[in-house]
Amino acid sequence: MAHELNDTYPVRPPSICALLAQAIDSAGDAILIIDANDRVVWANRAFARLSGFQPHEVIGEHCATLRAQTSPADCYSALRHSQPSHMGTWQRELCSVRRDGTTYIADEIVTPLWDQGGKLTHFVAVLHDVTRSKEALQKERLLASQDMLTGLAGRARVTELLTSAIAEAQQSGRILSVLFVDLDGFKKINDSHGHSVGDAVLKAVASRLQSVIRCSDTVARFGGDEFVILLPTVASRRVARRIGMHAVDQLSQPFAVGIGRHSLSASVGLAFFPEHGRSSESLLNSADEAMYRAKRQGGSQFQVADLAAEPMHHGRFREISAVEHSADLNGSHTDERGNPGTLVGG
């Protein structure tokens, strides 16, 4: 290699070796050279920045001492048994421990080195830090599964539960129903009294909705001032209707928040499986249509999905973009007709 570079650049091979050493030591990603016994023989400065260990502190150490989670398959030498001879590069994700005891996640590309006799002698491992991106993804998933303001289940979680409940209802023949709840007049409270009052009202709404359900049911904040109640099994359709009417009644009572009392109401739509939909999306759309019918009739009332009605807003859950979804989960809301409203926090 040095000979080939020397033909291109007017430098002597020793200078080329020094240049190569400087290049990999200055690389942005952490680089380790591991021998066939899984011991570190060299580390660059980027590894020190990533791990907190200086190169001289890890040279001679077994790779297992640098890992937060280690199994025999994690060792580089295990590649000799799991991969064919003269294998190429191998990529994986690993969790390692820093000097201060915290962990980091890295995408690792491992390249084996062979001598002229075909014997594996070393591994070169390049580690790209993906800790922040993984943490951001985990936070995004948490926001999707749980609403941070109210503590209720979030959109993703209730959709997951609904899908599971549908599968169980298909097997058992049990009555499954979904209630879609949209607050009437919330935007006025939020705009008139500020975000803190709006947040407090949403928390109070969540508490009241939880008071009308049974322990087997789930209340979720679907986004903004919209809530979903999942009733995975009810003894009769009358029970589901009674819960829907109870929700309307509870949310029509004034909310004592701070030093004031605030009045609003709710429009509630109910859909049953399988007559109003056989998938989570179709059931939510049917309940949503029933809720809009209640709102068009003046709000503060309860409606059951109409089998004969052609859905006016069919597919709106499927069409919600990832940006809108993220905004909803972080507290933004829409007004009663789905137009952008004022951020209310959480």
Side-chain angles (χ1 to χ4, degrees):
M1 181 178 178
H3 176 73
E4 293 174 356
L5 288 174
N6 195 43
D7 289 342
T8 305
Y9 298 99
V11 291
R12 298 178 62 81
S15 299
I16 288 295
C17 292
L19 178 62
L20 292 175
Q22 181 183 3
I24 61 175
D25 193 40
S26 302
D29 284 335
I31 300 176
L32 291 172
I33 299 178
I34 313 292
D35 68 17
N37 296 315
D38 294 316
R39 296 195 177 276
V40 179
V41 299
W42 188 87
N44 70 348
R45 285 179 288 175
F47 178 77
R49 292 193 297 270
L50 175 62
S51 69
F53 292 102
Q54 293 303 313
H56 72 271
E57 294 178 299
V58 297
I59 291 175
E61 294 293 329
H62 194 278
C63 67
T65 63
L66 306 177
R67 301 292 162 81
Q69 301 166 354
T70 305
S71 69
D74 289 328
C75 296
Y76 298 96
S77 59
L79 297 175
R80 288 179 295 184
H81 306 292
S82 62
Q83 300 292 330
S85 180
H86 296 285
M87 62 183 179
T89 58
W90 190 56
Q91 188 169 2
R92 63 182 175 181
E93 183 179 284
L94 60 84
C95 184
S96 295
V97 62
R98 297 186 179 93
R99 183 172 186 166
D100 62 7
T102 60
T103 58
Y104 64 91
I105 303 171
D107 281 336
E108 181 183 44
I109 297 177
V110 182
T111 303
L113 302 180
W114 310 84
D115 64 16
Q116 293 182 348
K119 180 182 177 182
L120 188 148
T121 61
H122 296 85
F123 300 93
V124 178
V126 179
L127 293 82
H128 179 67
D129 186 14
V130 294
T131 308
R132 289 186 178 180
S133 61
K134 289 291 182 180
E135 289 175 345
L137 180 60
Q138 184 179 13
K139 182 178 181 180
E140 181 180 339
R141 288 173 176 170
L142 178 61
L143 289 172
S145 64
Q146 182 179 18
D147 178 59
M148 295 295 100
L149 175 64
T150 63
L152 298 177
R155 182 193 304 262
R157 179 58 178 161
V158 75
T159 302
E160 176 186 324
L161 291 173
L162 177 55
T163 300
S164 177
I166 288 172
E168 293 179 7
Q170 287 174 326
Q171 298 260 340
S172 65
R174 295 179 305 186
I175 299 173
L176 181 156
S177 54
V178 176
L179 293 154
F180 204 98
V181 181
D182 187 274
L183 303 181
D184 306 318
F186 174 73
K187 185 177 185 298
K188 180 179 179 180
I189 292 175
N190 191 65
D191 290 348
S192 300
H193 301 282
H195 298 171
S196 60
V197 171
D199 287 353
V201 169
L202 288 175
K203 291 179 182 179
V205 167
S207 179
R208 289 193 188 180
L209 288 178
Q210 287 179 304
S211 73
V212 307
I213 66 170
R214 305 155 305 166
C215 60
S216 59
D217 305 329
T218 300
V219 179
R221 185 180 174 209
F222 211 68
D225 56 359
E226 294 178 331
F227 297 81
V228 165
I229 301 176
L230 169 60
L231 309 177
T233 177
V234 288
S236 68
R237 285 165 174 75
R238 182 179 300 175
V239 173
R241 292 185 177 93
R242 187 163 62 243
I243 291 174
M245 290 185 287
H246 193 191
V248 171
D249 180 65
Q250 282 292 307
L251 297 183
S252 67
Q253 306 302 315
F255 290 84
V257 174
I259 60 174
R261 292 171 64 84
H262 308 277
S263 296
L264 49 73
S265 60
S267 298
V268 179
L270 170 65
F272 290 104
F273 171 85
E275 54 262 47
H276 300 130
R278 293 180 174 272
S279 68
S280 59
E281 180 184 307
S282 60
L283 272 176
L284 286 168
N285 274 311
S286 294
D288 179 53
E289 284 302 320
M291 178 275 294
Y292 269 100
R293 185 159 18 100
K295 196 172 285 288
R296 286 193 296 270
Q297 294 178 10
S300 191
Q301 60 178 283
F302 163 78
Q303 292 286 331
V304 179
D306 186 348
L307 291 174
E310 180 68 24
M312 295 174 59
H313 304 275
H314 181 71
R316 83 180 183 104
F317 302 113
R318 181 178 63 251
E319 295 166 0
I320 291 175
S321 69
V323 173
E324 290 170 320
H325 182 188
S326 176
D328 279 343
L329 292 169
N330 283 282
S332 67
H333 78 279
T334 56
D335 66 20
E336 285 93 290
R337 295 271 63 85
N339 300 314
T342 305
L343 289 176
V344 296

